[in-house]
Amino acid sequence: MLAFNIVQLTDKPFPFRVECLECWGPDRLLIGTAESALLLYDIQHVSDSTGYKMSLLCKRDNFAKKGAITQLSVVDEYGILVSLSDQVYVHDLPAKGAEAMSTSFGLKSALSKTKGCTTFSVQFTDTQGLVLIAGLKKHILIFTWDGHDFTEFQDYPHPCEPPKSIVWCKNSMCIGFKKEYFLMSALTGQMTEISNKTSSPLVTRLPDNQLLLAVDNLGVTVDYEGRPTRSHALIWTEPPASVVFAYPYAIAIAKAFLEIRTLLSDTLTQVLPIRQAKVICCKDLTPSAQLQPEAGKAVIYVATNEKMISRLVPVPLSDQIDQLCSARQYSDALVLCEALPEDDPLRPKKIESVRIQQAYSIFAHKGDYKEAMTMFFELRVPVIDVIGLFTNLLPQDLRGKQRYNIDLNELIGEARSNALKALCGFLVSTRFRVANSGPPAAPTPTTTTTSSSASSPSPAPNPGEVKYNQCTDIPTIIDTSLLKACIQAKEFKPLEHLLSGPNNCHLAECESFLLNDTAPYPLELVKLYKSKQTRELHTKALNLLCSSKLSAKENVSVQQTIDYLKCLGAKYLDLVLNYSTRVLLLDPLNALTIFTKGERVADDQLPSAEVLAHFRRKELAPVSLKLIVPYLEYLIGQGSKEPDIHNDLVIQYTDIIVSSPNFSSTSTTAAGTETGVLGETRKKLISFLETSKFYTAEVILSKFPEHLHEEKALLLARIGEHRGVLNIYATKLNQPRKAEEYCEQHYSVEESQEGHDVYLNLLEVYLRPDGGEPPMVKPAFELLNKHYLRINIPKALALLPQDTPLASLKPFFENVIRDTSKRRRSNQVEKGLRESENLQVRLQNISARARMVKIDESTRCAVCLRHLRLSAFALYPDGSVVHLMCMKNKAGPMGSSAAAPAPPAGKKL
């Protein structure tokens, strides 16, 4: 990459041996020579050319009193020039335009203590202002500027070889000695070693309070505390002779060339063919108000041992970025983009442009389609441009109108399949973004496309009214392309998500695509029809499921039809009933889920009456019993309280029981214990009759078989026909114990309640059975002896046969007489206790009323303080007397708002 251009300033060898260079502003160059001469040149750009013209403004022979001029430093802010020869000197800078005057660069002062100085550094500091640091053989001298001259501030000894380079860093100095680097405190002189492995001690200041140290052929960055700031170093081709920094590049002098590396990525950027370079100087012209240096603002000069002087002219950063993009070095280009000024309005667009080019390159050349699509989405690349990378996806009128800055080869085979899979993910994310925030952004300058206007469309016409080839509606293009891509890549998960809800797929285009003769996809077309939620398309979908296209997949067709009908609510009842007939006949239990496990909201449920009528149709007669009972059970399980539903289930259970081949009216087997369907159904029926509260027993009894005794007993119990229930238990089932349990459950002590005579009813069943059967005297006597307290004795005796021996009633009468005597004695005791209690209360009342109180003209109410006189009054237990109305108002004594305590009963007078 070309980061700098070399501009030769001298077309023939320079007449002096150059020892140092120093920039003075953007167009002045100071040259210090071995012959002690100082030369000042004006460097001006030649119009309509890339060259520069070098004009001598001033020459001062014998500028140095002794020896060569080895170092120069301009401090333009204070109008001084600092030079180093045998010692450090301070000179006045001439005014611009007066450089050729004989008084130019007049000597201001000589720092005599700096004799033998090997290097110096002049820098502005936060604490000391302008400081000058001079490195001597055994000392480090620090001078500060007092406004007129440099005055000595500190003198610190050191035990090392003479310093080769020195830089001020905060409150310390980083010094490069012959073989090591040290940090020396400017306040105490304490030295801390940083590194002791170097053959070329060079220290270069970097932005952000960092230093670049040359450690052999490595460039190590450290902070002002000497701690490394990066995990890796710059790797020079050879140990550099000198290093300068021109943001964002470090430029090092090698023997046969200049080596340029960027600190942003540590990569080799450029090699400049300048042989035998001797000295290099760099001046950053970024305004001091800017905290961060600006790329391209440095002035750089190089002098060689061949006495040639050149200027390094930075290539504009945007051009460097374009070079890297052309070479497909997008990562380096993005790194270089970070060096663009942050306030540059074109910076974000440039970064975005590079990233988009990188995304297209990744797609076309690297083949990482997933990564490319991720970048397309993040960068909001127009969806039309992304879909345009694939053939036959866009509408015909939009195809081929995209222009890309890369060469695209047609995708085939596995590459196309992988690319389509990545496109599916991109389109899924994009359709979600479009749905939530509107259409994608317009195309960027990276691609030129005449279809750009489609990325921000005006309100699109109804896709059903426009042919797809003329379609410009972005949501329609996205969804239609997504469907095609999913089918071609066999990505059925995103396709399922697309077709499971509302979408913008172009119906005619998708129909044609899914029903092509090569590889039809009828089930996917069914899902597409379903997603549109119209009666016409529901009908087409159901017809397709029944068509010959799925005849080879009968099981699939049946299940798909069932699943489809589950989603149709009461609005489409006719479709549900019509198209369910076929699947109900083929797979009744599974098809029943259309009505019991449908995906419907509460207010869109199918009406149960119509469904039951459908099940009873002649066409469904072979499977009607398999449908009606489970459906009724489902309705009741869902909380239905309709009596007709509950009655219907009882009747259906009854029909199953009676029609069972194992059923016998004379069987003595307990209900529900039979084997097979008969036992299970009777168990269900008994449980339902016991638990349901909504069936109508009167209606059911009119149709109920006589031989289902247990079940009929439950129905009779529901309407309070106790005698009928007890007759079944006692005579038909011969279960007197169960009859007594029934009496226990329904007996009521209250004579007004219907269960009060339940035991009498059982006694009547025993003694006066139906059908002319002989009385059951023994169980009747046992009932009398056991439950005589719950039986009306006169009515019970009236039921006994006339020929009943009195001897057989002896136990009954003994029990009755004994219990009667016991109750009479208990009543007498209770009467005596109540009379005693009544007497005590009367005595207490007399005692309370015997208390007297004297009321005269001076007696006042304790509440309102008025005279009582002839007013009605009340007396409290504590002797307080109040008006009767004051007591009722519950006002406290002396008119307070607190309520006075109520006197005990009988204390009022």
Side-chain angles (χ1 to χ4, degrees):
M1 187 192 76
L2 192 63
F4 294 91
N5 289 314
I6 304 173
V7 178
Q8 198 78 28
L9 297 180
T10 56
D11 53 1
K12 58 183 179 180
F14 197 65
F16 299 94
R17 287 189 297 132
V18 178
E19 291 294 327
C20 62
L21 301 172
E22 175 66 358
C23 300
W24 181 14
D27 53 4
R28 298 286 192 272
L29 174 63
L30 288 164
I31 301 176
T33 67
E35 295 81 5
S36 302
L38 175 71
L39 297 94
L40 174 63
Y41 284 90
D42 178 52
I43 313 295
Q44 294 294 330
H45 183 262
V46 179
S47 301
D48 301 327
S49 170
T50 58
Y52 285 83
K53 181 180 179 181
M54 184 174 176
S55 303
L56 181 65
L57 294 178
C58 175
K59 177 185 176 185
R60 290 288 177 264
D61 294 321
N62 300 318
F63 180 77
K65 295 184 180 297
K66 184 178 179 180
I69 303 172
T70 58
Q71 191 174 350
L72 293 170
S73 181
V74 171
V75 185
D76 208 5
E77 292 83 352
Y78 292 102
I80 59 174
L81 170 67
V82 182
S83 66
L84 174 62
S85 51
D86 61 321
Q87 63 182 22
V88 177
Y89 296 92
V90 182
H91 309 266
D92 288 317
L93 284 174
K96 292 292 180 74
E99 295 92 341
M101 296 177 62
S102 59
T103 58
S104 298
F105 302 104
L107 180 64
K108 190 176 185 70
S109 64
L111 305 181
S112 58
K113 292 192 67 174
T114 61
K115 287 184 179 180
C117 177
T118 55
T119 184
F120 73 85
S121 175
V122 180
Q123 292 174 226
F124 286 93
T125 69
D126 295 334
T127 56
Q128 305 297 330
L130 183 67
V131 298
L132 185 151
I133 314 162
L136 284 72
K137 185 175 181 180
K138 295 296 181 181
H139 294 268
I140 299 295
L141 294 174
I142 303 176
F143 298 86
T144 59
W145 182 256
D146 62 3
H148 301 283
D149 202 353
F150 285 104
T151 58
E152 184 178 342
F153 176 65
Q154 294 288 358
D155 181 354
Y156 295 123
H158 67 80
C160 305
E161 298 291 332
K164 299 294 185 181
S165 59
I166 187 166
V167 169
W168 181 276
C169 46
K170 206 171 183 180
N171 293 321
S172 302
M173 296 163 286
C174 183
I175 307 171
F177 294 99
K178 185 175 181 180
K179 294 183 179 181
E180 59 268 319
Y181 291 98
F182 280 91
L183 278 177
M184 175 182 283
S185 171
L187 301 177
T188 63
Q190 181 179 354
M191 297 178 65
T192 304
E193 183 177 312
I194 301 176
S195 173
N196 58 5
K197 296 179 180 180
T198 181
S199 58
S200 54
L202 301 172
V203 184
T204 307
R205 287 172 61 89
L206 299 176
D208 300 325
N209 297 330
Q210 296 184 84
L211 303 172
L212 178 63
L213 308 181
V215 181
D216 294 332
N217 69 323
L218 299 179
V220 180
T221 56
V222 298
D223 60 16
Y224 285 174
E225 302 296 329
R227 296 170 298 205
T229 57
R230 299 185 179 201
S231 59
H232 48 279
L234 296 177
I235 302 177
W236 305 110
T237 305
E238 60 185 68
S242 181
V243 176
V244 295
F245 180 73
Y247 183 78
Y249 299 108
I251 306 172
I253 294 179
K255 293 178 181 178
F257 51 81
L258 293 185
E259 186 173 349
I260 302 174
R261 291 181 179 271
T262 172
L263 266 69
L264 299 175
S265 62
D266 306 329
T267 58
L268 177 62
T269 301
Q270 187 180 6
V271 174
L272 295 175
I274 299 179
R275 299 178 67 253
Q276 297 186 19
K278 182 178 181 181
V279 294
I280 184 171
C281 72
C282 175
K283 188 76 169 182
D284 185 7
L285 299 181
T286 302
S288 58
Q290 292 184 207
L291 298 177
Q292 185 73 15
E294 185 175 339
K297 291 293 185 179
V299 179
I300 308 167
Y301 296 99
V302 181
T304 68
N305 287 325
E306 297 174 344
K307 297 186 178 181
M308 303 300 291
I309 299 176
S310 304
R311 178 169 176 168
L312 303 186
V313 180
V315 175
L317 209 55
S318 60
D319 293 347
Q320 297 181 45
I321 294 170
D322 293 339
Q323 293 177 49
L324 291 171
C325 290
S326 298
R328 299 180 189 170
Q329 298 177 13
Y330 300 104
S331 297
D332 292 341
L334 288 171
V335 170
L336 209 55
C337 285
E338 299 300 323
L340 291 168
E342 292 187 359
D343 58 351
D344 186 349
L346 298 179
R347 184 176 188 265
K349 294 184 178 179
K350 192 67 175 178
I351 294 174
E352 181 181 3
S353 173
V354 173
R355 292 195 67 199
I356 291 176
Q357 292 182 64
Q358 182 184 27
Y360 279 112
S361 178
I362 290 173
F363 180 90
H365 303 121
K366 190 177 178 181
D368 191 345
Y369 305 111
K370 185 175 181 180
E371 175 65 20
M373 291 296 170
T374 300
M375 294 183 66
F376 288 149
F377 181 75
E378 291 176 354
L379 296 168
R380 293 181 176 268
V381 175
V383 68
I384 297 296
D385 294 342
V386 178
I387 299 175
L389 296 170
F390 300 82
T391 57
N392 302 326
L393 289 185
L394 286 175
Q396 189 67 44
D397 289 359
L398 297 181
R399 294 177 189 174
K401 295 184 178 181
Q402 294 73 38
R403 298 291 181 265
Y404 306 99
N405 292 337
I406 56 172
D407 296 328
L408 292 173
N409 298 320
E410 183 177 357
L411 297 168
I412 58 175
E414 184 179 358
R416 179 175 174 83
S417 177
N418 293 336
L420 284 169
K421 289 179 181 179
L423 177 65
C424 291
F426 168 80
L427 292 176
V428 167
S429 300
T430 302
R431 74 187 298 265
F432 179 79
R433 174 187 286 168
V434 170
N436 286 276
S437 58
T444 64
T446 304
T447 61
T448 304
T449 169
T450 57
S451 65
S452 300
S453 61
S455 62
S456 298
S458 57
N462 187 339
E465 299 175 357
V466 178
K467 292 183 178 179
Y468 186 65
N469 288 338
Q470 287 86 42
C471 181
T472 58
D473 179 56
I474 290 297
T476 301
I477 294 173
I478 290 174
D479 287 4
T480 306
S481 300
L482 176 57
L483 183 142
K484 292 182 177 181
C486 288
I487 292 294
Q488 294 178 18
K490 300 191 183 305
E491 285 286 286
F492 294 106
K493 186 174 181 180
L495 180 61
E496 181 71 24
H497 180 74
L498 172 68
L499 299 179
S500 63
N503 59 72
N504 296 286
C505 291
H506 192 281
L507 186 60
E509 178 72 11
C510 292
E511 275 183 327
S512 174
F513 180 80
L514 293 172
L515 288 180
N516 68 84
D517 296 333
T518 306
Y521 287 86
L523 292 181
E524 282 65 30
L525 182 56
V526 167
K527 294 176 183 177
L528 176 61
Y529 287 150
K530 179 181 176 182
S531 68
K532 298 300 182 179
Q533 292 294 314
T534 66
R535 176 176 291 275
E536 177 186 0
L537 293 182
H538 284 320
T539 304
K540 292 181 71 173
L542 292 167
N543 287 333
L544 183 59
L545 286 171
C546 300
S547 68
S548 59
K549 292 184 180 293
L550 290 173
S551 60
K553 303 177 181 179
E554 185 65 44
N555 292 335
V556 174
S557 173
V558 170
Q559 187 58 51
Q560 289 292 331
T561 303
I562 292 171
D563 292 340
Y564 196 105
L565 293 174
K566 284 181 180 180
C567 302
L568 300 184
K571 180 180 178 181
Y572 305 105
L573 177 64
D574 56 329
L575 294 179
V576 176
L577 299 182
N578 184 26
Y579 287 94
S580 66
T581 301
R582 181 177 72 95
V583 292
L584 285 170
L585 290 170
L586 293 172
D587 190 355
L589 294 181
N590 190 19
L592 183 62
T593 59
I594 296 171
F595 307 94
T596 60
K597 296 183 179 180
E599 301 171 7
R600 307 177 184 95
V601 295
D603 57 353
D604 198 31
Q605 295 296 319
L606 302 178
S608 58
E610 284 81 350
V611 174
L612 287 169
H614 176 61
F615 289 162
R616 291 186 169 96
R617 289 172 56 197
K618 183 177 179 181
E619 296 91 327
L620 293 176
V623 295
S624 61
L625 282 178
K626 295 180 181 179
L627 302 174
I628 295 174
V629 171
Y631 182 66
L632 291 171
E633 291 175 340
Y634 161 76
L635 293 176
I636 293 171
Q638 293 297 307
S640 174
K641 298 180 181 180
E642 295 183 26
D644 290 344
I645 299 296
H646 289 249
N647 295 344
D648 199 355
L649 182 58
V650 173
I651 294 172
Q652 292 298 323
Y653 281 152
T654 303
D655 291 343
I656 294 173
I657 293 170
V658 173
S659 61
S660 174
N662 297 330
F663 176 72
S664 173
S665 61
T666 59
S667 174
T668 58
T669 305
T673 61
E674 300 91 342
T675 59
V677 176
L678 175 61
E680 292 179 3
T681 307
R682 293 197 73 177
K683 189 183 297 183
K684 284 184 179 180
L685 177 56
I686 291 172
S687 175
F688 183 72
L689 292 173
E690 289 175 342
T691 56
S692 174
K693 299 179 181 179
F694 304 105
Y695 62 83
T696 310
E698 295 88 340
V699 175
I700 298 172
L701 282 169
S702 64
K703 307 174 184 179
F704 205 76
E706 289 293 334
H707 306 296
L708 300 180
H709 300 304
E710 288 91 336
E711 294 84 345
K712 188 172 182 179
L714 294 172
L715 290 171
L716 292 172
R718 175 60 60 88
I719 61 175
E721 288 287 341
H722 300 309
R723 192 182 188 288
V725 177
L726 295 172
N727 184 55
I728 291 174
Y729 288 148
T731 61
K732 300 190 181 300
L733 298 177
N734 195 24
Q735 295 180 358
R737 181 178 182 83
K738 196 166 186 179
E740 289 190 30
E741 290 176 355
Y742 179 84
C743 293
E744 182 70 26
Q745 294 172 2
H746 293 81
Y747 174 75
S748 174
V749 178
E750 299 293 333
E751 293 186 10
S752 58
Q753 299 293 328
E754 62 178 12
H756 181 71
D757 289 333
V758 66
Y759 282 98
L760 185 64
N761 293 333
L762 179 57
L763 183 63
E764 185 179 4
V765 169
Y766 285 148
L767 297 177
R768 296 183 181 180
D770 297 333
E773 295 292 329
M776 304 167 65
V777 178
K778 183 178 178 180
F781 285 171
E782 290 177 355
L783 181 66
L784 281 172
N785 293 333
K786 187 176 180 180
H787 297 288
Y788 61 89
L789 293 177
R790 297 183 176 184
I791 298 175
N792 186 302
I793 302 302
K795 291 182 180 181
L797 293 175
L799 292 174
L800 292 174
Q802 295 294 328
D803 57 350
T804 302
L806 289 177
S808 61
L809 296 175
K810 180 181 179 182
F812 167 69
F813 285 122
E814 288 178 348
N815 290 334
V816 171
I817 294 171
R818 182 173 57 251
D819 185 72
T820 302
S821 299
K822 182 179 178 180
R823 284 205 306 271
R824 185 179 65 181
R825 288 194 298 270
S826 177
N827 291 337
Q828 289 175 345
V829 172
E830 183 178 355
K831 178 182 178 183
L833 291 174
R834 290 186 181 277
E835 288 178 349
S836 176
E837 182 182 8
N838 182 50
L839 181 59
Q840 291 178 6
V841 172
R842 291 175 64 189
L843 291 174
Q844 290 175 0
N845 185 33
I846 292 171
S847 176
R849 289 180 176 274
R851 185 177 179 184
M852 297 180 63
V853 61
K854 182 179 180 182
I855 305 296
D856 56 22
E857 292 295 329
S858 62
T859 305
R860 294 178 181 271
C861 174
V863 175
C864 67
L865 303 182
R866 292 188 180 94
H867 292 284
L868 289 176
R869 292 190 176 90
L870 299 179
S871 301
F873 64 90
L875 175 66
Y876 283 108
D878 62 354
S880 301
V881 181
V882 297
H883 285 107
L884 183 61
M885 292 304 298
C886 291
M887 182 204 71
K888 290 181 178 180
N889 292 335
K890 297 184 179 180
M894 304 306 293
S896 67
S897 60
K907 297 300 182 181
K908 298 179 183 179
L909 296 178

